[in-house]
Each structure stands twice: as C-alpha cells, then as structure tokens.
Amino acid sequence: MTDDTAPQRARPSGEGSWEVRGALVTCDLAPDGLRVRARAGREGLSRVVLRWRRPVAPGSLVLGDAWERSYGELQWRHLQPERTLPWYWLATDPGGDRTSGMGVRTRPRAMCSWTVDEDGVSLWLDVRSGGLPVLPGERELEAATVVALDTDAPPFQALGELCGALSPDATLPSGPLVGCNNWYYAYGKGFGPEAVLRDARTIVEYADGHPVRPYCVIDDGWTEHCGPWDRGLPGVFDDMAGIAEQIRAVGARPGLWFRPLLAPAPTGATRRDAVRRIGHALDASLPEALATVAEDVARFRKWGYELIKHDFTTYDVFDVFATDAPATLARPGWSLADRGRTSAEILLALYETIADAAGDALVLGCNTIGHLAAGLVRAQRTGDDTSGREWERTRRMGVNTLAFRLPQHGRFFAVDADCVPCTPQTEWGLNRQFLDLVARSGTALFVSVDPAARTDQADADLSRAVRLALDGGQQGGVEPLDWLTTTAPRRWRAGEETVEYDWSQPWGARPLPV
C-alpha cells in the first residue's frame, strides 16, 4: 500500500505471490525462514502487511523490542492489539508452559514491526524512503526473512533462542569490553588531555594488572560538538594522535566518540531545535556523505584509536528519538535525496561504510538501529542514557535495557547498557548495585568516575567490578527472575545464587520525565 491509501487485500498472482495496484509481493520458504520480496508498482510502495491466523492464548503476556535504543519502556504486557512491536515478538501463555514468537532476521531491507491480537499476528514492512513511497524500479527488494519459534523453554531462554536464530552472523569483540568514559561527569565541557589521561590511569588502576586491557573512551567535547572531525578543539585537543599514544602508554586502549552525520550549519541555515543549533545533518543517502564518514573513521584509525563510538545516526536521519516505540520513525511526506532505496537500505549502507573504514577497530553503535547494525557493530548501546546527575535515569534506562535486551548479548553484538556513573550528584549505594549487576552480566562495562567522588569504598567497589568484568562476568551469567512483572527487575539469578537489588529512593521512582 502507499501512504495515501488504506490497506488493500492483494490478489494471488502465481504460487506464493500477490499483487495489488501494480505492486508484487512474493513469499518463499527457505532453510533460514520465510523470505519476503517486493517489487514496487508505478505509484511506488510504502508498506506491505502479512497476516497469520495464529491466535495467541487469552491471558498471554507479550514482549517486543524497540526501534533503536530503548527508553525504559520494554516490558511484558497483556494483549494490546495496536501496540507496535519492532523487529520481533514473544508471547508466553498464562501458565508459562509454552512460549512462541516471530521475528525478522537482522539487516532486513525494510523497517519491520509486528502487531499481535486475539485472532492472529501481522507483520508490517515499511519500505518507504524516508516518509514517501519508495519509487518503482526494475529491481526486486529482498525485504525480510521471517523466523518463527514455539518452545517449552522458559521465556528468557526462549528469547535467547529466537535472537540466535535471527542473527547467525554477529561480529563480536575479541574479549570482554570494559573501560572508562568521561561523559557522565564532564558532559562534554571543561576537560582536556590531562583529564583524559587521569581517567586512563584510573581505569588501569582498577584493572590492577589484569591481562585484558581496558579502554579509555573520549566522549563528546573533544571538538566543537560537530564536524569536521579532522581536528580537536583548538588550544586543547591539538594532537589527537598524541593523546591516543599517551593513553596506550598508560596501559589502556584509546577510544573516541563522534557523530558521523553532523556537519557545521551553513550560514543562514534554519535551526529547528536545540540540538541542531550546532550544525546540520548530512544526507546519508548521498555517496559524498558516506565518503566523508569513511574518511573520518579512517582518520581515527590513523590517529591510533582502537574503539570508535558513533552516535546520533537515527536522530540525524529521521529527526526523532524513538521513545515509546512509535508506529513509524519517518514523518509522512519527508524523504532523503535517494527515493529509489528504502530507509533501511540507506542506514545499512551507512553502517557498512563505518564498519569497512574501521577495519580491526571495535565499532560501538549508539542511537543506531540495532536490528540493522547487528553484524556491522561489535557492541551496541541498547538503552537511552544513564545519568551522573539523576539516579532515576539510570534505574529507568539502564536496568530496563539490561534485563530485556540481555538475550541479544553475544547473539546480535555485545550489549552495552551504558555507563555506571560515580559522581557527587548521585548516591553511590544505588550506583554500586547497578555496577555489580553489569559486571556480573558479562556485558560491556564502562564507568564514568568523577575524581571528586572517589572514596576508598567506591574505589574498592569499582576495582572489584572492573576485574570481574574483565574476567568475562559471573560464571553462568545472570538472568532477571521477576521480569514478567516489572520493568526494572530486582531479583536476578547470578550463577548458582539469587541476588536481590533495591533500586528505590526514599520517595520511590520519580513520575516525571528525566
């Protein structure tokens, strides 16, 4: 269907094919799942909807994923027919005896989501280019490959099984991913090479001679917050290659953050919001934009950075953060320059460009679409920002994304639930619990330590957690035990023991946005 029409039932057009208004959809059963292909008609094509008469048992709980980072919203819910479930869904029956689900394999050429109701399941394939129909052409689009699951395994294990089937070709770090990041005490301001090297020495001190070397990641603030990414902040970060070498000499591995698509705003350009005041987004569908990104990444490698964290690409393409799983990311009527490719294809080309240019450097995606980036990043920030200013953000974002996306760890990429802050503004008794959980989980552990917050107790906690994380986490991993009934699980299986955490402040959780 196109944007200006209601869904129309397609008519059969040969075995496994259906046609409507000149558009053709074909489904073929293959060893890896049900392959869905589409060809646009003269009017272009916006969406394809496939429907399975597959009733879900009354009283079942249903779980979906998020478009990109999650924002504290991941949860099991009772049936909600209009709820958008990006990429995959899972349903567990009231007795917990059976868990079923469906999903699309990673790196599809469409933005894929599901809806689940009492009568069946629908897969919505958004093949638009931005917010307009993808234009017709001779090619046939390999839109998605559908995989189904039905098992008597518990829901947590079932989700891991489904994620493994959806992403058989993940690229992962060569070992545990542990390090420091200065964002949650500096927030991009007032720091220089001395502070970076102090952080490097701190994380090396916590590692205490461990054979796995930790990373020291320089986050936003080493430039004017936008490109060109060929120099650091004048008078402060004048020698980016030299800083990388100094980090390495201290005993850490240098890492660098950047925002690939943000360039300086042209004179007189319209500035729509607070973020865009610092620049404008390159059009990711243009070859010259990808060439610029590739040059930047290759430069970081030449400087000696071994971890490259790229950020904001979802926002800079769609001009929106995907909070609360909206039905679609793109606004109707808007498009990128290339109308002949879908949004998913354009993003895939961007991620492939970064991965190719990075070579053997570890690529960490942030505000990237994980289902498209799996296999093209080694690690993925799976939730929105934690906070060095407000514990509630860490509880809401960090705990939620760790619990509900943990089954993606080692199957899609290394999961990064975001930094554990140690700052004067946040209570260490709460942060140290999150630190303990992340370290036990074996997922990526980054810490953001304000020197003003260091105490003997905090240093002991951080050193113990960093060394555990460098060992690969708790033997046997962790699993949320109460995730069916809360968005911030407190009870966790950790190896052979059960650990309980208390995430509450005296007044409970803040009901206000943070």
PDB file of all heavy atoms in Angstrom, residues 122-140:
ATOM      1  N   SER A 122       0.293  -9.790  12.733  1.00  0.00           N
ATOM      2  CA  SER A 122       0.565  -9.078  11.484  1.00  0.00           C
ATOM      3  C   SER A 122       1.996  -8.562  11.476  1.00  0.00           C
ATOM      4  O   SER A 122       2.475  -8.037  12.489  1.00  0.00           O
ATOM      5  CB  SER A 122      -0.395  -7.892  11.309  1.00  0.00           C
ATOM      6  OG  SER A 122      -1.736  -8.333  11.246  1.00  0.00           O
ATOM      7  N   LEU A 123       2.652  -8.714  10.338  1.00  0.00           N
ATOM      8  CA  LEU A 123       3.971  -8.144  10.114  1.00  0.00           C
ATOM      9  C   LEU A 123       3.821  -6.947   9.191  1.00  0.00           C
ATOM     10  O   LEU A 123       3.297  -7.061   8.085  1.00  0.00           O
ATOM     11  CB  LEU A 123       4.902  -9.180   9.474  1.00  0.00           C
ATOM     12  CG  LEU A 123       6.255  -8.664   8.963  1.00  0.00           C
ATOM     13  CD1 LEU A 123       7.078  -8.042  10.077  1.00  0.00           C
ATOM     14  CD2 LEU A 123       7.025  -9.781   8.267  1.00  0.00           C
ATOM     15  N   TRP A 124       4.290  -5.791   9.667  1.00  0.00           N
ATOM     16  CA  TRP A 124       4.230  -4.552   8.893  1.00  0.00           C
ATOM     17  C   TRP A 124       5.633  -4.233   8.389  1.00  0.00           C
ATOM     18  O   TRP A 124       6.543  -3.983   9.170  1.00  0.00           O
ATOM     19  CB  TRP A 124       3.709  -3.407   9.763  1.00  0.00           C
ATOM     20  CG  TRP A 124       2.312  -3.626  10.248  1.00  0.00           C
ATOM     21  CD1 TRP A 124       1.905  -4.467  11.245  1.00  0.00           C
ATOM     22  CD2 TRP A 124       1.143  -3.017   9.737  1.00  0.00           C
ATOM     23  NE1 TRP A 124       0.542  -4.417  11.391  1.00  0.00           N
ATOM     24  CE2 TRP A 124       0.041  -3.528  10.482  1.00  0.00           C
ATOM     25  CE3 TRP A 124       0.891  -2.078   8.731  1.00  0.00           C
ATOM     26  CZ2 TRP A 124      -1.269  -3.128  10.237  1.00  0.00           C
ATOM     27  CZ3 TRP A 124      -0.419  -1.679   8.495  1.00  0.00           C
ATOM     28  CH2 TRP A 124      -1.482  -2.210   9.247  1.00  0.00           C
ATOM     29  N   LEU A 125       5.781  -4.263   7.080  1.00  0.00           N
ATOM     30  CA  LEU A 125       7.069  -3.977   6.445  1.00  0.00           C
ATOM     31  C   LEU A 125       7.013  -2.575   5.852  1.00  0.00           C
ATOM     32  O   LEU A 125       6.319  -2.339   4.853  1.00  0.00           O
ATOM     33  CB  LEU A 125       7.381  -5.004   5.365  1.00  0.00           C
ATOM     34  CG  LEU A 125       7.479  -6.444   5.856  1.00  0.00           C
ATOM     35  CD1 LEU A 125       6.558  -7.351   5.067  1.00  0.00           C
ATOM     36  CD2 LEU A 125       8.901  -6.935   5.762  1.00  0.00           C
ATOM     37  N   ASP A 126       7.717  -1.642   6.468  1.00  0.00           N
ATOM     38  CA  ASP A 126       7.771  -0.258   5.998  1.00  0.00           C
ATOM     39  C   ASP A 126       8.919  -0.158   4.991  1.00  0.00           C
ATOM     40  O   ASP A 126      10.094  -0.206   5.361  1.00  0.00           O
ATOM     41  CB  ASP A 126       8.008   0.656   7.199  1.00  0.00           C
ATOM     42  CG  ASP A 126       7.977   2.144   6.835  1.00  0.00           C
ATOM     43  OD1 ASP A 126       8.071   2.466   5.639  1.00  0.00           O
ATOM     44  OD2 ASP A 126       7.869   2.973   7.759  1.00  0.00           O
ATOM     45  N   VAL A 127       8.576  -0.048   3.722  1.00  0.00           N
ATOM     46  CA  VAL A 127       9.587   0.017   2.668  1.00  0.00           C
ATOM     47  C   VAL A 127       9.698   1.423   2.092  1.00  0.00           C
ATOM     48  O   VAL A 127      10.218   1.620   0.989  1.00  0.00           O
ATOM     49  CB  VAL A 127       9.298  -1.001   1.540  1.00  0.00           C
ATOM     50  CG1 VAL A 127       9.393  -2.413   2.074  1.00  0.00           C
ATOM     51  CG2 VAL A 127       7.924  -0.761   0.910  1.00  0.00           C
ATOM     52  N   ARG A 128       9.238   2.410   2.846  1.00  0.00           N
ATOM     53  CA  ARG A 128       9.332   3.784   2.359  1.00  0.00           C
ATOM     54  C   ARG A 128      10.784   4.265   2.305  1.00  0.00           C
ATOM     55  O   ARG A 128      11.660   3.732   2.970  1.00  0.00           O
ATOM     56  CB  ARG A 128       8.535   4.722   3.269  1.00  0.00           C
ATOM     57  CG  ARG A 128       7.030   4.506   3.248  1.00  0.00           C
ATOM     58  CD  ARG A 128       6.344   5.431   4.220  1.00  0.00           C
ATOM     59  NE  ARG A 128       6.809   5.212   5.601  1.00  0.00           N
ATOM     60  CZ  ARG A 128       6.565   6.041   6.601  1.00  0.00           C
ATOM     61  NH1 ARG A 128       5.895   7.167   6.390  1.00  0.00           N
ATOM     62  NH2 ARG A 128       7.006   5.764   7.824  1.00  0.00           N
ATOM     63  N   SER A 129      10.985   5.291   1.531  1.00  0.00           N
ATOM     64  CA  SER A 129      12.241   6.029   1.526  1.00  0.00           C
ATOM     65  C   SER A 129      11.993   7.288   2.333  1.00  0.00           C
ATOM     66  O   SER A 129      11.378   8.234   1.848  1.00  0.00           O
ATOM     67  CB  SER A 129      12.660   6.372   0.098  1.00  0.00           C
ATOM     68  OG  SER A 129      13.879   7.086   0.109  1.00  0.00           O
ATOM     69  N   GLY A 130      12.421   7.279   3.584  1.00  0.00           N
ATOM     70  CA  GLY A 130      12.004   8.345   4.485  1.00  0.00           C
ATOM     71  C   GLY A 130      10.523   8.211   4.758  1.00  0.00           C
ATOM     72  O   GLY A 130      10.044   7.160   5.175  1.00  0.00           O
ATOM     73  N   GLY A 131       9.773   9.282   4.470  1.00  0.00           N
ATOM     74  CA  GLY A 131       8.333   9.254   4.685  1.00  0.00           C
ATOM     75  C   GLY A 131       7.519   9.216   3.414  1.00  0.00           C
ATOM     76  O   GLY A 131       6.326   9.491   3.423  1.00  0.00           O
ATOM     77  N   LEU A 132       8.151   8.868   2.288  1.00  0.00           N
ATOM     78  CA  LEU A 132       7.469   8.775   0.998  1.00  0.00           C
ATOM     79  C   LEU A 132       7.637   7.376   0.425  1.00  0.00           C
ATOM     80  O   LEU A 132       8.599   6.673   0.753  1.00  0.00           O
ATOM     81  CB  LEU A 132       8.038   9.810   0.021  1.00  0.00           C
ATOM     82  CG  LEU A 132       7.741  11.282   0.331  1.00  0.00           C
ATOM     83  CD1 LEU A 132       8.497  12.174  -0.646  1.00  0.00           C
ATOM     84  CD2 LEU A 132       6.248  11.565   0.276  1.00  0.00           C
ATOM     85  N   PRO A 133       6.732   6.963  -0.454  1.00  0.00           N
ATOM     86  CA  PRO A 133       6.868   5.626  -1.052  1.00  0.00           C
ATOM     87  C   PRO A 133       8.194   5.468  -1.771  1.00  0.00           C
ATOM     88  O   PRO A 133       8.691   6.406  -2.402  1.00  0.00           O
ATOM     89  CB  PRO A 133       5.694   5.561  -2.036  1.00  0.00           C
ATOM     90  CG  PRO A 133       4.709   6.581  -1.537  1.00  0.00           C
ATOM     91  CD  PRO A 133       5.520   7.668  -0.915  1.00  0.00           C
ATOM     92  N   VAL A 134       8.784   4.290  -1.639  1.00  0.00           N
ATOM     93  CA  VAL A 134       9.980   4.013  -2.425  1.00  0.00           C
ATOM     94  C   VAL A 134       9.562   3.986  -3.893  1.00  0.00           C
ATOM     95  O   VAL A 134       8.500   3.474  -4.248  1.00  0.00           O
ATOM     96  CB  VAL A 134      10.630   2.686  -1.990  1.00  0.00           C
ATOM     97  CG1 VAL A 134       9.770   1.482  -2.337  1.00  0.00           C
ATOM     98  CG2 VAL A 134      12.019   2.556  -2.566  1.00  0.00           C
ATOM     99  N   LEU A 135      10.346   4.593  -4.751  1.00  0.00           N
ATOM    100  CA  LEU A 135       9.964   4.714  -6.154  1.00  0.00           C
ATOM    101  C   LEU A 135      10.132   3.387  -6.885  1.00  0.00           C
ATOM    102  O   LEU A 135      10.970   2.559  -6.519  1.00  0.00           O
ATOM    103  CB  LEU A 135      10.798   5.796  -6.828  1.00  0.00           C
ATOM    104  CG  LEU A 135      10.506   7.234  -6.355  1.00  0.00           C
ATOM    105  CD1 LEU A 135      11.450   8.198  -7.045  1.00  0.00           C
ATOM    106  CD2 LEU A 135       9.057   7.618  -6.616  1.00  0.00           C
ATOM    107  N   PRO A 136       9.343   3.175  -7.922  1.00  0.00           N
ATOM    108  CA  PRO A 136       9.418   1.904  -8.649  1.00  0.00           C
ATOM    109  C   PRO A 136      10.737   1.764  -9.381  1.00  0.00           C
ATOM    110  O   PRO A 136      11.441   2.726  -9.658  1.00  0.00           O
ATOM    111  CB  PRO A 136       8.248   1.990  -9.634  1.00  0.00           C
ATOM    112  CG  PRO A 136       8.017   3.451  -9.815  1.00  0.00           C
ATOM    113  CD  PRO A 136       8.324   4.074  -8.481  1.00  0.00           C
ATOM    114  N   GLY A 137      11.050   0.561  -9.661  1.00  0.00           N
ATOM    115  CA  GLY A 137      12.251   0.255 -10.412  1.00  0.00           C
ATOM    116  C   GLY A 137      12.176  -1.181 -10.878  1.00  0.00           C
ATOM    117  O   GLY A 137      11.234  -1.905 -10.551  1.00  0.00           O
ATOM    118  N   GLU A 138      13.163  -1.610 -11.613  1.00  0.00           N
ATOM    119  CA  GLU A 138      13.161  -2.973 -12.112  1.00  0.00           C
ATOM    120  C   GLU A 138      13.541  -3.986 -11.036  1.00  0.00           C
ATOM    121  O   GLU A 138      13.237  -5.165 -11.153  1.00  0.00           O
ATOM    122  CB  GLU A 138      14.135  -3.080 -13.297  1.00  0.00           C
ATOM    123  CG  GLU A 138      13.709  -2.277 -14.509  1.00  0.00           C
ATOM    124  CD  GLU A 138      12.319  -2.676 -14.991  1.00  0.00           C
ATOM    125  OE1 GLU A 138      12.027  -3.891 -15.048  1.00  0.00           O
ATOM    126  OE2 GLU A 138      11.517  -1.768 -15.298  1.00  0.00           O
ATOM    127  N   ARG A 139      14.225  -3.525 -10.018  1.00  0.00           N
ATOM    128  CA  ARG A 139      14.736  -4.465  -9.022  1.00  0.00           C
ATOM    129  C   ARG A 139      13.631  -5.037  -8.144  1.00  0.00           C
ATOM    130  O   ARG A 139      12.574  -4.426  -7.956  1.00  0.00           O
ATOM    131  CB  ARG A 139      15.781  -3.798  -8.131  1.00  0.00           C
ATOM    132  CG  ARG A 139      15.196  -2.803  -7.136  1.00  0.00           C
ATOM    133  CD  ARG A 139      16.291  -2.060  -6.403  1.00  0.00           C
ATOM    134  NE  ARG A 139      15.739  -1.142  -5.415  1.00  0.00           N
ATOM    135  CZ  ARG A 139      15.896  -1.298  -4.102  1.00  0.00           C
ATOM    136  NH1 ARG A 139      16.562  -2.345  -3.635  1.00  0.00           N
ATOM    137  NH2 ARG A 139      15.386  -0.423  -3.261  1.00  0.00           N
ATOM    138  N   GLU A 140      13.934  -6.179  -7.545  1.00  0.00           N
ATOM    139  CA  GLU A 140      13.059  -6.799  -6.570  1.00  0.00           C
ATOM    140  C   GLU A 140      13.729  -6.665  -5.201  1.00  0.00           C
ATOM    141  O   GLU A 140      14.881  -7.053  -5.022  1.00  0.00           O
ATOM    142  CB  GLU A 140      12.816  -8.269  -6.909  1.00  0.00           C
ATOM    143  CG  GLU A 140      11.753  -8.924  -6.060  1.00  0.00           C
ATOM    144  CD  GLU A 140      11.423 -10.325  -6.573  1.00  0.00           C
ATOM    145  OE1 GLU A 140      12.369 -11.107  -6.777  1.00  0.00           O
ATOM    146  OE2 GLU A 140      10.228 -10.622  -6.759  1.00  0.00           O
TER     147      GLU A 140
END
